[in-house]
Amino acid sequence: RKVAVILSGCGVYDGAEVHESVLTLLGIEQQGATYQCFAPDMNQHHVINHLTGEDTGEQRNVLVEAARIARGDIEPLAALKVADFDALIVPGGFGAAKNLSDFAFE
């Protein structure tokens, strides 16, 4: 079994929640499956200082930030071929609502 994991950056307030993402990857491996991480190659909508909760005004790329969680083993979301995978997981974090959809804004 092969699982596509779509990450939305790195950090609970502006990306994928780190604990949830890492535990998801661990769980996939523990079940004998393999995974490939993907993320959109675009700028995040916000970069949040996780110490204060405030917007830093910086620009960061979702794919580059998600590579922190994937330890560099990640592909651009545009490269995802659905037919190559048996399942899809999207770990939580507010980045899913901000960077993967318009849910946070609409």
Side-chain angles (χ1 to χ4, degrees):
R1 296 169 297 176
K2 192 167 182 184
V3 180
V5 179
I6 299 179
L7 300 173
S8 56
C10 181
V12 67
Y13 302 126
D14 56 5
E17 204 286 326
V18 177
H19 293 125
E20 187 173 330
S21 299
V22 170
L23 290 172
T24 295
L25 300 178
L26 177 63
I28 292 168
E29 284 187 346
Q30 288 177 332
Q31 294 302 309
T34 61
Y35 63 82
Q36 177 61 55
C37 293
F38 297 89
D41 188 4
M42 59 179 259
N43 283 337
Q44 294 179 194
H45 285 284
H46 302 102
V47 176
I48 302 298
N49 176 328
H50 284 71
L51 187 60
T52 65
E54 299 196 11
D55 188 337
T56 67
E58 297 174 51
Q59 288 290 311
R60 293 188 186 177
N61 181 280
V62 176
L63 178 61
V64 171
E65 290 299 298
R68 297 171 185 266
I69 295 171
R71 301 175 82 186
D73 186 14
I74 192 165
E75 298 290 332
L77 185 55
L80 174 63
K81 294 181 179 139
V82 175
D84 292 345
F85 295 91
D86 302 302
L88 168 69
I89 298 177
V90 181
F94 205 44
K98 291 180 176 181
N99 301 322
L100 300 180
S101 72
D102 64 1
F103 184 80
F105 307 109
E106 300 296 328

